[in-house]
Amino acid sequence: MSDLPARMRQAVPEYLPQTATAQECMGAILQFVESVTFADPDELLAALRQVIGEYWPGLPPYARNLAYRMVCLQRPDDAALLREAADDLLAFGPDRDEEAEELQRRADLLDPRP
């Protein structure tokens, strides 16, 4: 069994012990980034959905963006995934609206909505 969900939870400030030092926090973030970077896309998407399902606003946008980006890079022809990633980007403000619109455009080219 993968430790990816546990590493994702460590990227959520609320899951870290209140006594965690800055160095421990950075270590958790580095472990998360490394885990996400080399994760299998099925495993990564399952972990992402699990952790978001447990505490939707808790996973920081940088963590969500990285995870979705890694999965989308490995599955560029999955229209449903591209739409899911776009919806997640749109949920956190206008900073990444252009990227979200591009993901939606790509998804529509792959699988036009009726």
Side-chain angles (χ1 to χ4, degrees), residues 31-105:
Q31 287 179 359
F32 164 78
V33 170
E34 178 135 338
S35 296
V36 167
T37 301
F38 297 104
D40 170 83
D42 292 327
E43 177 186 10
L44 179 54
L45 191 54
L48 182 60
R49 289 174 176 163
Q50 178 182 342
V51 173
I52 288 173
E54 291 169 2
Y55 186 52
W56 185 82
L59 193 60
Y62 82 86
R64 302 164 86 98
N65 294 347
L66 176 62
Y68 273 116
R69 179 78 170 163
M70 294 305 296
V71 175
C72 287
L73 286 171
Q74 295 177 75
R75 291 191 177 163
D77 298 326
D78 186 334
L81 173 62
L82 296 174
R83 287 186 179 107
E84 181 180 333
D87 289 344
D88 197 74
L89 282 172
L90 290 170
F92 286 92
D95 293 350
R96 299 284 178 223
D97 284 0
E98 289 181 22
E99 287 86 353
E101 290 168 5
E102 175 61 19
L103 289 171
Q104 290 171 335
R105 187 190 67 72

Side-chain angles (χ1 to χ4, degrees), residues 7 10-11 16 23-33 62:
R7 297 225 173 154
Q10 289 176 342
L16 290 171
Q23 185 174 359
E24 290 168 332
C25 292
M26 281 304 297
I29 290 169
L30 291 173
Q31 287 179 359
F32 164 78
V33 170
Y62 82 86

